[in-house]
Amino acid sequence: MSAQRPTGHGAAGDDTLSSKTQTATMTSTTAMATPFPPSTAEQPSTRKEPPPEKLCDIRRRIWVIGSFWLIVLLLGLPIWWKTTTIHRANLPLKEMLDWADGKACRPVFPLRISIQANSLQEHEAQNLLRLTQHALDDLNDFSGHHLRLQLSAPAAAQKLNDESNAALTIRLLPGEAVTATLDPYEPVLDITYPPNAAPSATSASSSLATYVAGQLRSTFAEEQAIISYLLSSNSIPTDYRPQGLTPEAVESLAKRTTRSLKYAPTYHLTFSLFTSGPLPSSWDIEAAIQDYMKPVLDLLSPIHNFTIDTQVQLYASPGVQNQALGKDDLSSFINAAEWPLSPSIGGAPTVNFIVFVGNQTIALPSQNGQDSTEGGLTTSQSWLIPQWGTVYLLSLPHDTAHVSVDALKQPLLTFTSHLLSLTGTPNSGSLPLRLSTLSRIRSADLLLRASSTLGSLARLALALKSISIPSSVADGVSKTIYHLRQACETLGEAEGLEHARIAEAEAERAFFEKSMVGQLYFPDEHKVAVYLPLLGPVAVPLVMGMLNELKAWRKRRKEAAEKGKEKKKE
Amino acid sequence: MNGGKVTLGRTAGLYAGAAVLRLALFTLFPGLPDLLTGRVEISTPVTSFKRLQEGLFLYNHNVSPYDGGVYHQAPLLLPIFNLLPSFSTFPIFTYLLYIAVDILSADALLRIAESGEAGSSARFTSPRRDKRWSGAVVAALFLFNPFTIATCIGRSTTVFTTCAILHAVANAISGRHFHAMVALAFASYLSMYPLLLLPPLILLCYDRQKQPASGAPNAWIKFAVAMVMDVFGALAVLFQMSFFLTGSWEFLSSTYGVQLTLSDLAPNIGLWWYFFVEMFDSFRSFFLAVFWLHLSSYVGGLSVRLRQQPLVVITLLLGIFSIFKPYPSIADASLFLGMVPLYRHVFPLLRYSFVIAAIIIYATFLGPAFYHLWIYAGSGNANFFYAITLVWGLGLSLLVCDLAFAVLRDEWEVERPEMVGKEIRQI
């Protein structure tokens, strides 16, 4: 809207500006030079040149254009810079990849085993220990899992609990024959030996030592297999891996891992009583839990916390109405649409234990068949649903209105053993040993998971240059690495699990940062598509106005210079 | 002079007529106020009367009115409405307040029209200035504009801003700078965007000083600084009072923050809401800044170009605001349309008056229809309503451009008297 001129006249306005004296001499020449043809409506004689644009008008136009450009340059550009730059916090990429590749930490579980041999002489015991260690080292092909023997001081013999940092205590007792029994309540292996089997202080080999080494190895065989399976399924370099895993062993371990729940510090246990009819309508679940399940939950408490709720649902119809449930029916028995089984309460994963009161039975063609693990878990009344829970079919007399503690004993015991298997507890060994093994397996698992998450994050940051990395992610990464180091140093101990747990949580939080996901894929072409339709129309008049003004300014300078030359010539 | 002398009686009659019409609408159609209050064309999140009542309720129960995120209006409105007898029992007092504010606005507009500033400013006198409408006609066009009436019945709080802006202009023309600046501070306090009117308003004050400026070359800088200090002083007092009233500075983010960040995406007749519904989150802050810069970029250019007629700058800016501000309503359009009749003398130079009138009427009727199709009937979608708001914006921007063209041509014909009446084109 800066300048209007009559029609029929060319765009000569800018050509003829200069000071007044100059235009007086210039008008004729510029009028000739105007390339525009005369308009057909008017006579060529009436066509007349617009008067020169006044200097103050030019200046005003420059001011107007300048005022828009000032806003663009002084406010627009800094705002653009500030609001659209992608914040990329510095990540220790090298270190993160090292963790993922297993270079930063070599998972080693030094297990200390103390030997109590009160009946042996000091030097005899020493020799036995040396020989056993030798035999163990010969048997062991996996450097990540070390068994270190030590002799416990006889003074501390009475108080076994003091030896809390030893994974296992071996009590050597004189007896008639060579036997080995695991104490069911303490992490103690009782080995009896006939008097002649005790090695002398100088003998170079001993059958007892070999026997003890073999017993130890078979006790820890499962743990070793699980840990080596964990390591091999992650990207740990092959030289740390044991070679001894048979394909069948790997398969059964894989089955076990898929069955067990993902590690969480807290699990929520839901006990549900579903009845096909109006009865029974109440149950003594609290007392039953107290009696049959609480002891195991207490034992698990260093590793997991548990919250519990219960519910009763009458007239619950199962997903399958068959009288006898075949193997295929079991998976569709749960009526997910109608049974109030929420997937997770308060963020903790839920383990469902369902007692279904009805007259349905499980018909398995080969109940005592060849598949031992399958047969062990699936009794005629209950089955385990991997990563989900257990269903127990309870058949009661029709008029039972109340399910007593006694009736709940068998279901609860089944649930307890299934809970152990759902949490990933190994099958063999005494309960204390199984639990301490569980804590070691879990710390190794968490450590590896956190490391591989770190690696994924590092690869993501490397692959997507345009992804923004908020400082909270960098915080999470540094926290993860700190706790990973701590966990690596204290692997196999209680703090190790705690550190690994924090590291895993932090790594997950950093990886799933919400503000990062939004711009996961945002290439530069998209930016053109965002900017152009909106800023293009605004930019055209701005840029064209400035270009025109620059052109006019250069022309004026040229003309002024020519003027000066002509004057000099004259 | 076409208008003739306005007698006191005639003006009073006009005001009485406007008041009676509004009162009649309020009382004869008891459902009408609530119906209009719910219309998105009238009530925006920052001006809605319903939200004001919510804030008032919270305020009366000693809860911060901004709790709950519904009320986004200035805190000082609360004690004003609190002084009135309760709305639920005596709604007539609220009606009377709104009618009074409308008449005050019209009175300011009348004074502006009577001053003749539109036709002959301090630096420019239009050759066509004799052909103008009297103040009473201009005021009547404002008071009986259906948009103004609908805004009044809908009890949108924009009417207070409108009143403050018109009084700022009227006071600036009559040479009372301080009053003008305080009025502008009130308008800015209520809806923030009128602060952008400060540069042209300072120019208007400077041109209309009672005693002509002294010869000192930097006198205008001193003047401008004094004006700016006045506005910000008044604003500081208002903010301090609000702080004492609510006990925290929370109101700043709840009132002005909402306008700046467009956190409430309720549909309105503006262009922002649809755009930011669709916007990528990562670009949201950038485009918020772009939209605000776009809104404010016209101030400098227009003030420079139309330095000789600051009132035109204010009028054009009001038109631009009514299109491009974050939460526009028909109340903003009614203010702009109220200012346009001041330029009766350049009406013959308008090129698209028929098109503009047709577009505005078209959008006025189709807007509610399309909104109904989208929200109630469900047979349309958001694009229907957005399309019609685009048409509405097109109509208003055509009017703004055409008015600017007419005023510039009027200026240009003073310079080139021989071109009067000839067709021109822009090059």
Side-chain angles (χ1 to χ4, degrees):
Chain A
M1 60 181 76
S2 57
Q4 285 100 25
R5 263 161 246 296
T7 44
H9 295 283
D14 291 350
D15 304 359
T16 51
L17 8 115
S18 261
S19 73
K20 283 205 169 164
T21 48
Q22 283 165 351
T23 40
T25 56
M26 284 289 291
T27 28
S28 57
T29 53
T30 45
M32 292 298 167
T34 324
F36 282 78
S39 86
T40 47
E42 285 177 276
Q43 296 286 322
S45 58
T46 60
R47 184 172 154 257
K48 107 186 128 137
E49 197 51 36
E53 202 171 3
K54 276 187 281 177
L55 200 61
C56 65
D57 285 352
I58 301 171
R59 204 173 288 152
R60 188 170 62 188
R61 195 168 61 228
I62 292 177
W63 271 107
V64 170
I65 294 172
S67 76
F68 283 105
W69 273 103
L70 267 183
I71 287 182
V72 169
L73 295 179
L74 291 187
L75 294 172
L77 276 186
I79 287 175
W80 171 75
W81 184 252
K82 208 170 167 349
T83 53
T84 60
T85 40
I86 296 164
H87 178 70
R88 279 179 78 94
N90 272 328
L91 292 181
L93 294 176
K94 176 86 178 51
E95 209 175 335
M96 289 160 74
L97 288 173
D98 281 354
W99 274 102
D101 296 341
K103 289 179 201 153
C105 171
R106 201 179 138 180
V108 172
F109 297 86
L111 295 185
R112 270 183 299 192
I113 292 157
S114 66
I115 294 182
Q116 270 183 17
N118 296 341
S119 56
L120 285 177
Q121 295 296 319
E122 175 76 19
H123 56 274
E124 278 178 347
Q126 285 289 356
N127 191 34
L128 178 69
L129 188 136
R130 191 171 49 79
L131 289 172
T132 316
Q133 186 72 55
H134 261 297
L136 268 178
D137 292 350
D138 286 349
L139 281 170
N140 200 358
D141 54 354
F142 178 31
S143 59
H145 200 257
H146 263 302
L147 299 178
R148 284 269 158 266
L149 298 178
Q150 64 184 35
L151 205 58
S152 69
Q158 286 81 13
K159 290 185 271 174
L160 282 170
N161 292 340
D162 287 359
E163 309 279 326
S164 55
N165 54 354
L168 182 69
T169 306
I170 297 174
R171 259 194 310 233
L172 285 173
L173 303 165
E176 287 100 59
V178 181
T179 55
T181 41
L182 272 171
D183 189 308
Y185 306 113
E186 305 276 355
V188 167
L189 181 68
D190 286 316
I191 290 182
T192 59
Y193 60 97
N196 59 341
S200 64
T202 53
S203 64
S205 68
S206 153
S207 60
L208 179 64
T210 322
Y211 179 76
V212 171
Q215 283 297 323
L216 278 175
R217 186 165 153 67
S218 66
T219 309
F220 287 106
E222 189 179 11
E223 176 180 347
Q224 204 170 350
I226 292 172
I227 286 176
S228 60
Y229 170 75
L230 281 177
L231 292 183
S232 67
S233 59
N234 280 281
S235 53
I236 298 296
T238 40
D239 48 323
Y240 296 159
R241 282 187 209 163
Q243 318 299 326
L245 283 180
T246 58
E248 300 87 66
V250 167
E251 197 188 329
S252 83
L253 284 169
K255 211 177 214 173
R256 178 211 294 278
T257 347
T258 49
R259 192 163 56 202
S260 66
L261 285 151
K262 202 172 161 242
Y263 177 82
T266 304
Y267 288 122
H268 185 79
L269 309 182
T270 301
F271 293 89
S272 315
L273 175 70
F274 290 118
T275 66
S276 55
L279 290 173
S281 56
S282 64
W283 57 340
D284 273 335
I285 186 66
E286 276 177 42
I289 290 172
Q290 198 65 35
D291 287 356
Y292 305 121
M293 204 159 198
K294 197 81 184 17
V296 176
L297 295 186
D298 287 344
L299 283 173
L300 280 169
S301 64
I303 308 168
H304 300 289
N305 289 322
F306 295 96
T307 55
I308 295 173
D309 75 339
T310 65
Q311 59 179 347
V312 177
Q313 172 105 338
L314 308 181
Y315 293 108
S317 57
V320 181
Q321 305 290 347
N322 299 353
Q323 185 60 43
L325 300 171
K327 201 172 175 185
D328 295 338
D329 296 334
L330 298 187
S331 56
S332 50
F333 184 80
I334 302 295
N335 190 345
E338 286 175 23
W339 291 2
L341 301 167
S342 73
S344 70
I345 294 172
T350 304
V351 187
N352 291 285
F353 295 118
I354 294 175
V355 176
F356 187 82
V357 180
N359 48 9
Q360 281 164 312
T361 53
I362 300 171
L364 279 182
S366 55
Q367 180 64 36
N368 45 3
Q370 67 283 26
D371 196 345
S372 64
T373 52
E374 195 74 18
L377 285 174
T378 313
T379 67
S380 60
Q381 281 169 313
S382 72
W383 69 97
L384 183 149
I385 299 169
Q387 302 194 5
W388 192 83
T390 299
V391 182
Y392 192 99
L393 300 179
L394 189 65
S395 52
L396 290 171
H398 277 294
D399 53 349
T400 317
H402 181 81
V403 187
S404 64
V405 179
D406 288 340
L408 285 171
K409 178 178 179 182
Q410 199 49 47
L412 263 287
L413 290 181
T414 314
F415 291 159
T416 308
S417 81
H418 284 186
L419 177 66
L420 286 176
S421 129
L422 281 168
T423 52
T425 319
N427 290 337
S428 62
S430 67
L431 191 58
L433 265 184
R434 287 165 73 188
L435 289 180
S436 70
T437 303
L438 175 65
S439 107
R440 284 191 291 275
I441 292 170
R442 282 308 194 185
S443 12
D445 185 24
L446 288 172
L447 183 83
L448 292 170
R449 273 226 300 265
S451 307
S452 85
T453 308
L454 273 190
S456 310
L457 184 59
R459 283 192 295 279
L460 184 76
L462 283 174
L464 296 176
K465 295 290 177 203
S466 61
I467 196 173
S468 79
I469 299 173
S471 42
S472 60
V473 171
D475 274 2
V477 167
S478 66
K479 262 187 213 159
T480 309
I481 289 181
Y482 168 78
H483 285 290
L484 276 180
R485 274 203 206 108
Q486 299 283 316
C488 192
E489 279 165 22
T490 56
L491 211 54
E493 295 167 31
E495 311 92 273
L497 179 66
E498 187 57 32
H499 284 301
R501 180 190 296 174
I502 298 171
E504 205 263 348
E506 287 289 335
E508 292 285 307
R509 210 170 50 77
F511 188 77
F512 290 106
E513 169 70 40
K514 225 176 85 194
S515 58
M516 251 168 67
V517 183
Q519 269 200 314
L520 209 56
Y521 181 68
F522 208 83
D524 286 346
E525 304 90 78
H526 281 201
K527 280 181 194 151
V528 176
V530 170
Y531 287 134
L532 205 61
L534 305 165
L535 299 185
V538 179
V540 168
L542 270 179
V543 172
M544 291 311 289
M546 189 178 66
L547 287 182
N548 279 340
E549 221 37 45
L550 279 178
K551 233 193 264 170
W553 177 72
R554 277 175 56 189
K555 202 166 214 162
R556 282 201 303 275
R557 274 194 50 171
K558 222 164 77 187
E559 276 166 13
E562 274 171 18
K563 263 273 122 56
K565 257 186 225 165
E566 274 176 29
K567 265 187 188 168
K568 264 182 199 167
K569 269 183 201 166
E570 284 164 12
Chain B
M1 282 249 187
N2 281 356
K5 208 77 190 144
V6 180
T7 59
L8 194 65
R10 213 176 135 190
T11 328
L14 169 68
Y15 292 164
V20 166
L21 172 66
R22 283 160 168 74
L23 259 185
L25 286 173
F26 272 129
T27 47
L28 295 184
F29 304 97
L32 191 62
D34 286 334
L35 171 78
L36 290 180
T37 307
R39 299 299 310 182
V40 286
E41 296 89 345
I42 296 168
S43 295
T44 65
V46 293
T47 59
S48 158
F49 184 68
K50 249 186 203 167
R51 290 171 186 253
L52 176 73
Q53 280 177 299
E54 169 75 13
L56 205 59
F57 180 84
L58 292 177
Y59 174 74
N60 281 334
H61 288 74
N62 283 328
V63 181
S64 163
Y66 299 103
D67 279 0
V70 170
Y71 182 63
H72 301 303
Q73 298 164 47
L76 284 185
L77 285 174
L78 297 172
I80 293 175
F81 278 88
N82 211 16
L83 279 178
L84 297 175
S86 162
F87 175 75
S88 46
T89 43
F90 301 105
I92 187 75
F93 288 99
T94 311
Y95 298 156
L96 288 177
L97 173 71
Y98 274 91
I99 292 170
V101 169
D102 252 18
I103 287 172
L104 277 177
S105 307
D107 192 48
L109 198 58
L110 183 135
R111 273 158 54 205
I112 297 169
E114 289 297 317
S115 72
E117 167 73 20
S120 65
S121 63
R123 297 176 173 231
F124 174 78
T125 304
S126 166
R128 308 164 194 265
R129 67 183 176 284
D130 288 343
K131 199 177 174 196
R132 68 186 180 100
W133 279 326
S134 73
V137 175
V138 174
L141 283 176
F142 174 74
L143 279 177
F144 292 103
N145 181 346
F147 293 147
T148 318
I149 296 173
T151 309
C152 180
I153 308 294
R155 292 156 301 172
S156 154
T157 50
T158 329
V159 294
F160 299 102
T161 313
T162 304
C163 185
I165 291 175
L166 286 173
H167 274 271
V169 176
N171 282 325
I173 287 173
S174 51
R176 287 176 295 203
H177 326 135
F178 183 70
H179 292 85
M181 291 302 140
V182 170
L184 185 71
F186 264 102
S188 310
Y189 170 77
L190 289 173
S191 6
M192 188 169 85
Y193 76 92
L195 196 62
L196 293 172
L197 293 173
L198 183 58
L201 200 66
I202 289 176
L203 293 178
L204 187 61
C205 286
Y206 184 69
D207 285 353
R208 301 288 295 208
Q209 282 180 91
K210 280 208 180 99
Q211 57 273 64
S214 60
N218 285 335
W220 68 273
I221 294 183
K222 264 188 205 160
F223 183 82
V225 169
M227 293 293 101
V228 172
M229 300 271 280
D230 283 348
V231 170
F232 283 97
L235 273 179
V237 171
L238 287 171
F239 283 155
Q240 201 59 49
M241 282 165 68
S242 311
F243 175 70
F244 284 135
L245 204 65
T246 57
S248 75
W249 291 107
E250 188 196 4
F251 71 91
L252 288 179
S253 62
S254 299
T255 55
Y256 310 116
V258 167
Q259 299 213 25
L260 281 175
T261 59
L262 205 81
S263 47
D264 195 324
L265 287 172
N268 53 54
I269 59 164
L271 308 173
W272 288 48
W273 63 274
Y274 189 85
F275 190 85
F276 284 98
V277 166
E278 303 282 322
M279 179 49 64
F280 290 110
D281 263 357
S282 49
F283 285 102
R284 191 184 153 85
S285 48
F286 170 66
F287 277 102
L288 277 174
V290 168
F291 272 50
W292 270 106
L293 283 185
H294 171 249
L295 189 62
S296 46
S297 65
Y298 293 102
V299 176
L302 283 177
S303 302
V304 173
R305 183 64 189 86
L306 290 165
R307 170 67 190 91
Q308 294 171 328
Q309 306 185 64
L311 188 60
V312 178
V313 179
I314 293 175
T315 308
L316 292 178
L317 280 179
L318 286 175
I320 289 170
F321 292 158
S322 72
I323 307 164
F324 293 119
K325 68 179 251 202
Y327 293 107
S329 66
I330 59 167
D332 301 287
S334 78
L335 171 60
F336 173 54
L337 294 177
M339 295 284 277
V340 170
L342 295 174
Y343 300 95
R344 170 72 185 85
H345 59 285
V346 296
F347 276 11
L349 297 173
L350 292 179
R351 294 169 297 178
Y352 308 118
S353 36
F354 171 72
V355 179
I356 293 165
I359 290 182
I360 288 182
I361 292 170
Y362 173 84
T364 309
F365 284 105
L366 273 193
F370 278 6
Y371 187 76
H372 181 86
L373 282 187
W374 170 31
I375 296 292
Y376 301 105
S379 51
N381 58 22
N383 297 331
F384 277 56
F385 185 62
Y386 186 61
I388 208 70
T389 62
L390 282 179
V391 173
W392 167 261
L394 174 78
L396 285 183
S397 52
L398 256 184
L399 180 54
V400 170
C401 291
D402 216 16
L403 187 64
F405 169 83
V407 169
L408 285 174
R409 163 123 203 195
D410 190 39
E411 261 186 24
W412 180 70
E413 284 180 356
V414 173
E415 208 175 292
R416 302 280 303 278
E418 74 278 14
M419 301 304 291
V420 173
K422 292 199 181 146
E423 202 184 319
I424 62 167
R425 72 183 171 106
Q426 188 175 355
I427 53 170

